[in-house]
Amino acid sequence: MGNHCGKGCHPRLGDYSISKGLLVTRGEDDIRRHYKIGKELGSGSFGQVRECTKRDTNEVFAVKIIERKMTAKEKMIPGRPSNEQMMRSEVNILKMLDHPHIVKYVDFFEDRYFFYAVLELLAGGELFYRIVKRTKLTEQDASNFCKQMISALAYLHERQIVHRDIKAENFMYKGQSPDAVVKLIDFGMSSRLPESGYLTDLCGSPHYISPELIERHYGCSVDMWAFGVMLFLMLFGRYPFEGSKPALIAKEVQTKDIDWTTEECLHLTDSCIDFVSRLLDRNPKTRLTAAQ
């Protein structure tokens, strides 16, 4: 989100700056008064993440930038909350959390066109890319990550918060070193459990969706199923349930039985197979909880 748009553009037009072709109001509480916005760290359907530096302390953070206005394609997704609902929900939840394996909330700004959530900078990249780079992880490596991730999930579930988008892309490393801690990010789909004790929205990523989420009657157990899928991906380098489109993946989730006696499983200990299979238990009542 630079302050100019290239050759022939003025960096400022009165009280506005040009950003990606949009006029951004420089209001009283403009983020640029407090932070210098730097290079892009990542982007996706949600918007983009950029590095930002606090002007008075030179501390470096990340800023998640989301447009207020939804695209026509986003509006067509059934049950999809607005960008504003997602961002405000994420910020409200992150404000309540303080855990060594959950990204830390720092600050929030908004203007006429964008929302800005300033967060702890996680410079080590996604767990997903480390899995892709190494094809699969050893059982020992996977167990080290598991301890960190499970502690984050137990902390959330104790507070009746369901993340609803647990996947390898949503765990990031604090730094580049091999033993850097991992932290859970992206709380845009997270929700607190209502008094009824269950949620009914269909959301999440197709490969990680649980049987009860497909049925639209679920609680914290959906995070544990998704965690099981992620662990399977770490150990085998592929997803347990696959298909060329979401409906085919959903069918496998509901019907496919995993064979734990294949040659592919021979390198794993019995306790590891028991652990993963108890996470991928179709019955949410008997599935392992984070506390267990």
Side-chain angles (χ1 to χ4, degrees), residues 66-244:
I66 292 182
E67 273 194 66
R68 278 182 175 273
K69 190 179 174 186
M70 288 169 69
T71 64
K73 191 178 176 184
E74 285 167 346
K75 285 177 183 173
M76 284 169 66
I77 301 169
R80 187 195 188 278
S82 69
N83 290 355
E84 178 166 3
Q85 285 171 316
M86 284 174 74
M87 185 62 125
R88 292 199 189 280
S89 171
E90 177 167 24
V91 166
N92 287 337
I93 284 175
L94 281 173
K95 277 180 177 176
M96 297 188 284
L97 307 177
D98 182 16
H99 189 274
H101 299 296
I102 294 174
V103 66
K104 287 190 172 17
Y105 166 82
V106 178
D107 217 337
F108 178 74
F109 296 88
E110 59 182 296
D111 56 35
R112 280 171 60 195
Y113 296 98
F114 296 95
F115 297 106
Y116 309 84
V118 182
L119 307 166
E120 171 186 16
L121 177 66
L122 303 176
E126 295 173 4
L127 169 65
F128 182 78
Y129 289 118
R130 291 209 194 180
I131 296 171
V132 169
K133 199 174 168 184
R134 291 169 59 178
T135 314
K136 53 190 176 187
L137 306 180
T138 65
E139 188 175 322
Q140 184 58 53
D141 284 343
S143 72
N144 289 338
F145 297 137
C146 274
K147 286 173 193 168
Q148 300 178 53
M149 296 169 189
I150 284 287
S151 70
L153 289 176
Y155 175 84
L156 288 179
H157 295 171
E158 197 181 306
R159 284 155 183 77
Q160 301 292 291
I161 295 167
V162 193
H163 186 277
R164 300 203 293 187
D165 201 17
I166 295 296
K167 57 184 178 180
E169 294 89 331
N170 282 341
F171 280 96
M172 291 191 73
Y173 291 87
K174 176 69 177 165
Q176 296 285 351
S177 67
D179 59 348
V181 299
V182 291
K183 298 202 175 206
L184 178 58
I185 64 162
D186 202 347
F187 284 73
M189 289 190 194
S190 301
S191 178
R192 294 195 75 158
L193 281 176
E195 280 185 30
S196 66
Y198 62 86
L199 295 159
T200 57
D201 307 316
L202 185 62
C203 61
S205 303
H207 283 107
Y208 293 88
I209 206 163
S210 68
E212 69 270 25
L213 206 151
I214 294 169
E215 300 292 332
R216 300 192 184 206
H217 189 285
Y218 60 89
C220 295
S221 57
V222 295
D223 286 348
M224 301 311 295
W225 173 278
F227 178 70
V229 171
M230 188 172 68
L231 188 49
F232 189 99
L233 176 66
M234 282 188 223
L235 296 168
F236 296 100
R238 62 179 176 84
Y239 294 109
F241 309 102
E242 298 185 290
S244 55

